[in-house]
């Protein structure tokens, strides 16, 4: 701005000085012309009519007039005499401006460049109406014209003459005006500079000024600063919200250009990828499968394990930017795995009785068996069929639990335990087991009869099946805030190594009993599933060779 002002000052000063010089030269020229005219008028008064009207007279008058040129001209324009001599060489002067003016009005001035004297000349011509006589006796009865002239400065010559002075003057004026302009501009701009400095240091706070002229700007700036603050606040809130949303995502998300240039990464992804700022994402560089996915331009999915959890990494590319979405698929994968295992187990369990049924049926069909063998084979077929239908029932029961949404109700557990245990009497007697039932009266729990029967049947039948001949089987039921059911036996017991697995589907400790006297390893899995869904605590204590105790603590349902 200062430069601009100085440039404008320079232009204005130079043009001002030049204009002023031209104006002054013109004024000077006009006043010198007036002065010359006055002088010529005074000179003309020196002309005397009785002096000889010839070259000598003209020369004498010129001498008297300090060398001014004197010309005598007749009314027809003929130059009779000239103080510069050689009058006869002059052309007719009738056309000259001052001559025609004198002929017309008696007197006339003219200024022009004279070719004869090579300078600007001022002419004054007067008509003399008197009898004039030359030295050789020539008489001019009607008079003649007398012209006096002298050199004068032209406007241009005045200007050229003043140029050196003018230049010095110009330089001085320019220097002075530039200096004072700089001084005054700096002084004027000082408050503006101060205001700018204050604003830059204000950190968004309002600023003020005592200068009235600057107050509208200050008001505008303060308003703008408020507006910016509001916008920044809103942007911050927006970006905080975005970060909050991104960070609360269970899925990991990374937006990046290359492993070193990460544009955005949410908390989950940063944790899983052990991301450190300004460091390349190690997985992108070190994992062969991920690197291969990144090398292509297509959308690619790679499965990767982070500790215990399995993630699906899906890479998509938008121009030069890549987006990685990390989804936890641990549950889905394990569900798929357990489904496959379940199917494999079911087919395996079914295969044994089916093979047996098929084999014996073929034997009977062959007709080579005697009656006794046929009835033995038929009995085996019947046993295996029952086993197969037991298996199918167990599987159906097991799967049905997941879809059982029937409402629970108060079940008299005391009565139900007695009811369920009763049919096991013959089997208990068969094994010579001493059975005790200690049930507190009126223990009520919130469940469904069929669910409780399933649990009790499984625990009691196991207590018999895995008991020793002549062993003990005891059922205890206590009430109170948290009712408890214990089924304990003094049977074969379970080793420490097998104990954690007994509630898993199709898990049987002694594989040899599989398909024979033992079950399919679904009973305890069903018990656990029912307890888990009801919110009850199922636990087991066992010592190999000494016996086993299953305990269920019936916690009341949680009120949501
Ligand atoms: P199964 O139909 O084979 O009995 P369960 O799921 O009921 O299947 O039991 C799983 C395994 O746990 C059994 O194979 C058995 O080895 C063991 N088990 C269950 N109850 C007892 C018990 N009372 N005493 C000893 N072992 C038991």
């Amino acid at each position: 701005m200062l430069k601009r002002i100085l440039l404008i000052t320079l232009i204005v000063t130079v043009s001002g000085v030049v204009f002023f010089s031209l104006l002054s030269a013109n004024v000077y020229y006009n006043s010198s012309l007036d002065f010359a005219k006055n002088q010529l008028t005074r000179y003309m008064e020196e002309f005397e009519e009785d002096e000889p009207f010839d070259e000598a007279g003209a020369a004498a008058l010129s001498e008297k007039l300090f060398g001014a040129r004197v010309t005598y001209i007749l009314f027809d324009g003929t130059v009779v005499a000239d103080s510069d001599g050689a009058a006869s060489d002059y052309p007719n002067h009738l056309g000259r401006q001052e001559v025609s003016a004198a002929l017309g009005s008696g007197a006339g001035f003219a200024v022009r460049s004279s070719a004869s004297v090579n300078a600007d000349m001022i002419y004054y011509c007067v008509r003399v109406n008197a009898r004039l006589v030359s030295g050789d006796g020539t008489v001019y009865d009607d008079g003649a014209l007398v012209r006096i002239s002298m050199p004068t400065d032209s406007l241009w010559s005045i200007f050229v003459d003043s140029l050196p002075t003018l230049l010095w003057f110009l330089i001085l004026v320019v220097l002075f005006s530039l200096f004072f302009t700089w001084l005054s501009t700096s002084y004027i701009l000082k408050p503006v500079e101060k205001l700018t400095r204050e604003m830059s240091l204000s950190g968004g706070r309002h600023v003020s000024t005592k200068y009235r002229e600057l107050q509208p700007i200050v008001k505008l700036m303060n308003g703008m600063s408020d507006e910016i603050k509001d916008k920044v606040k809103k942007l911050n809130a927006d970006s905080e919200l975005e970060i909050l949303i991104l960070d609360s995502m269970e899925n990991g998300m990374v937006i990046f250009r290359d492993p070193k240039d990460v544009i955005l990464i949410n908390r989950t992804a940063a944790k899983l990828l052990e991301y450190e700022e300004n460091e390349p994402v190690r997985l992108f560089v070190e994992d062969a499968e991920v690197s291969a996915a990144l090398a292509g331009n297509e959308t690619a999915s790679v499965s990767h394990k982070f500790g215990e959890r399995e993630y699906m990494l899906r890479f998509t590319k938008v121009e030069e930017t890549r987006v990685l979405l990390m989804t936890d698929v641990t549950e889905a994968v394990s569900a798929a795995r357990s489904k496959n295992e379940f199917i494999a187990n079911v087919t395996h369990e079914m295969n044994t009785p089916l093979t047996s049924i098929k084999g014996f049926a073929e034997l009977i069909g062959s007709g080579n068996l005697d009656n006794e063998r046929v009835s033995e084979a038929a009995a085996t077929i019947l046993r295996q069929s029952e086993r197969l239908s037991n298996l199918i029932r167990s599987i159906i029961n097991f799967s049905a639990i997941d879809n059982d949404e029937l409402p629970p109700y108060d079940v008299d557990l005391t009565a139900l335990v007695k009811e369920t245990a009763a049919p096991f009497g013959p089997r208990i007697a068969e094994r010579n087991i001493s059975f005790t039932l200690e049930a507190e009266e009126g223990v009520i729990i919130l469940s469904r009869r069929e669910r409780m029967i399933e649990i009790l049947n499984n625990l009691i039948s196991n207590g018999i099946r895995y008991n020793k001949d002549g062993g003990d089987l005891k059922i205890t039921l206590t009430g109170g805030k948290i009712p408890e059911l214990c089924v304990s036996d003094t049977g074969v017991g379970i080793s420490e190594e097998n104990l954690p697995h007994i509630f898993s589907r199709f898990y049987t400790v002694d594989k040899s009993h599989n398909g024979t006297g033992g079950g399919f390893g679904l009973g305890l899995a069903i018990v656990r599933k029912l307890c888990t869904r009801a919110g009850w605590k199922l636990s087991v204590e066992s010592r190999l060779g000494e016996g086993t105790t299953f305990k269920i603590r019936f916690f009341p349902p949680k009120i949501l």
Side-chain angles (χ1 to χ4, degrees):
M1 189 174 170
L2 185 66
K3 263 190 203 166
R4 230 189 154 108
I5 293 172
L6 290 177
L7 183 73
I8 291 167
T9 309
L10 184 74
I11 293 168
V12 169
T13 313
V14 170
S15 39
V17 168
V18 170
F19 175 73
F20 180 72
S21 315
L22 283 172
L23 198 74
S24 336
N26 192 42
V27 170
Y28 177 74
Y29 173 69
N30 285 334
S31 72
S32 70
L33 266 189
D34 286 345
F35 179 77
K37 279 179 185 172
N38 281 336
Q39 204 167 15
L40 285 177
T41 314
R42 261 186 282 119
Y43 280 1
M44 195 53 87
E45 286 166 7
E46 295 298 322
F47 175 75
E48 286 170 17
E49 292 162 3
D50 47 1
E51 287 293 316
F53 193 71
D54 54 14
E55 293 268 335
L61 182 59
S62 169
E63 208 179 314
K64 218 166 149 190
L65 301 178
F66 313 104
R69 186 179 166 200
V70 178
T71 314
Y72 294 155
I73 305 159
L74 298 184
F75 290 145
D76 61 359
T78 312
V79 177
V80 180
D82 191 284
S83 56
D84 286 357
S88 51
D89 294 346
Y90 290 120
N92 187 293
H93 273 35
L94 209 55
R96 305 289 160 97
Q97 191 190 342
E98 71 282 4
V99 172
S100 51
L103 283 171
S105 61
F109 285 100
V111 179
R112 68 174 167 276
S113 163
S114 162
S116 41
V117 289
N118 200 19
D120 261 16
M121 297 289 288
I122 180 160
Y123 298 92
Y124 181 46
C125 188
V126 172
R127 183 189 177 112
V128 180
N129 294 320
R131 188 173 179 271
L132 300 166
V133 184
S134 73
D136 61 2
T138 314
V139 177
Y140 306 97
D141 280 326
D142 299 333
L145 301 169
V146 176
R147 189 182 76 174
I148 303 172
S149 59
M150 57 185 196
T152 182
D153 288 335
S154 68
L155 182 59
W156 177 243
S157 70
I158 291 170
F159 185 68
V160 169
D161 286 350
S162 66
L163 259 184
T165 324
L166 182 74
L167 276 178
W168 278 115
F169 180 68
L170 190 70
I171 290 166
L172 273 179
V173 168
V174 165
L175 284 178
F176 266 98
S177 55
L178 285 182
F179 175 69
F180 282 108
T181 306
W182 172 78
L183 216 61
S184 52
T185 309
S186 305
Y187 181 72
I188 292 166
L189 287 180
K190 220 170 195 160
V192 180
E193 280 171 6
K194 192 176 160 234
L195 194 67
T196 317
R197 215 170 27 248
E198 267 176 28
M199 268 176 177
S200 66
L201 295 174
S202 71
R205 282 188 308 277
H206 278 197
V207 287
S208 59
T209 179
K210 61 181 177 184
Y211 300 98
R212 201 158 41 87
E213 296 78 0
L214 292 178
Q215 269 158 9
I217 298 178
V218 168
K219 206 172 156 196
L220 198 77
M221 292 298 217
N222 285 338
M224 276 164 74
S225 144
D226 285 347
E227 217 169 284
I228 290 169
K229 257 193 274 175
D230 283 352
K231 283 204 174 126
V232 168
K233 215 190 253 174
K234 198 173 168 293
L235 279 176
N236 281 345
D238 286 354
S239 73
E240 266 170 31
L241 191 72
E242 276 164 24
I243 290 170
L244 197 76
I245 292 169
L246 282 175
D247 280 350
S248 59
M249 268 169 66
E250 272 178 24
N251 292 339
M253 183 187 238
V254 190
I255 301 175
F256 62 102
R257 286 195 198 92
D258 61 62
K260 270 183 247 139
D261 186 5
V262 173
I263 303 164
L264 186 146
I265 182 163
N266 76 347
R267 193 175 293 166
T268 311
K271 204 167 149 197
L272 290 170
L273 297 170
E274 291 170 358
Y275 173 70
E276 278 171 41
E277 238 173 283
N278 303 324
E279 292 289 322
V281 178
R282 282 218 312 279
L283 181 79
F284 295 173
V285 191
E286 288 168 11
D287 189 280
E289 250 186 298
V290 173
S291 305
L294 280 174
N297 278 332
E298 303 291 310
T299 297
S301 295
V302 176
S303 133
H304 189 84
K305 268 198 136 184
F306 294 93
E308 293 289 293
R309 317 285 307 167
E310 188 159 348
Y311 277 79
M312 184 57 71
L313 314 184
R314 189 178 159 79
F315 293 94
T316 36
K317 197 174 181 196
V318 185
E319 290 173 2
E320 286 312 300
T321 310
R322 286 174 186 277
V323 179
L324 162 63
L325 193 67
M326 308 168 80
T327 316
D328 188 344
V329 289
T330 318
E331 267 75 41
V333 167
S334 90
R337 199 176 293 141
S338 89
K339 189 178 167 194
N340 290 340
E341 269 173 26
F342 184 74
I343 292 169
N345 281 325
V346 168
T347 28
H348 173 76
E349 294 293 342
M350 281 182 159
N351 206 29
T352 320
L354 269 179
T355 316
S356 173
I357 291 167
K358 191 174 168 237
F360 281 101
E362 276 170 2
L363 266 179
I364 294 169
S366 70
N368 295 333
L369 295 180
D370 55 27
N371 280 351
E372 196 185 334
R373 288 280 184 85
V374 167
S375 45
E376 268 176 31
T380 312
I381 289 174
L382 197 65
R383 215 173 39 249
Q384 293 300 343
S385 310
E386 265 169 26
R387 192 171 160 70
L388 201 57
S389 69
N390 277 346
L391 171 65
I392 291 168
R393 200 172 49 246
S394 297
I395 293 170
I396 291 170
N397 276 353
F398 183 80
S399 308
I401 299 169
D402 287 326
N403 305 320
D404 179 6
E405 296 296 339
L406 293 172
Y409 49 81
D410 283 346
V411 176
D412 182 346
L413 196 52
T414 314
L416 196 64
V417 169
K418 287 175 188 166
E419 230 176 85
T420 319
F424 286 98
R427 274 177 69 192
I428 291 171
E430 203 180 294
R431 301 280 313 275
N432 208 12
I433 291 168
S434 99
F435 176 63
T436 331
L437 173 59
E438 284 176 12
E440 212 176 290
E441 279 308 310
V443 177
I444 307 290
I445 59 152
L446 192 67
S447 183
R448 292 183 72 86
R449 271 177 65 85
E450 66 273 19
R451 291 179 197 162
M452 283 319 299
I453 290 170
E454 186 75 43
I455 291 173
L456 289 165
N457 270 341
N458 275 306
L459 294 180
I460 297 169
S461 68
N462 278 351
I464 300 167
R465 188 185 292 155
Y466 302 110
N467 216 322
K468 291 171 192 161
D469 288 340
D472 293 340
L473 175 63
K474 188 176 180 186
I475 300 176
T476 327
L477 177 65
T478 54
K481 248 185 170 177
I482 301 162
E484 261 183 36
L485 173 76
C486 285
V487 180
S488 57
D489 64 68
T490 54
V492 293
I494 307 159
S495 70
E496 248 180 74
E497 166 201 356
N498 283 317
L499 203 58
H501 306 292
I502 56 164
F503 296 110
S504 308
R505 287 177 318 194
F506 296 105
Y507 190 85
T508 50
V509 172
D510 180 4
K511 307 291 171 201
S512 64
H513 78 223
N514 218 355
T516 55
F520 305 98
L522 278 174
L524 287 182
I526 291 173
V527 173
R528 183 178 66 170
K529 209 177 218 188
L530 285 168
C531 288
T532 311
R533 277 175 66 99
W536 302 329
K537 191 164 187 288
L538 169 68
S539 57
V540 59
E541 273 175 30
S542 185
R543 272 172 176 264
L544 197 59
E546 289 183 20
T548 309
T549 303
F550 287 94
K551 190 199 275 183
I552 300 174
R553 301 184 74 203
F554 299 96
F555 284 97
K558 285 199 179 95
I559 296 157
L560 298 170

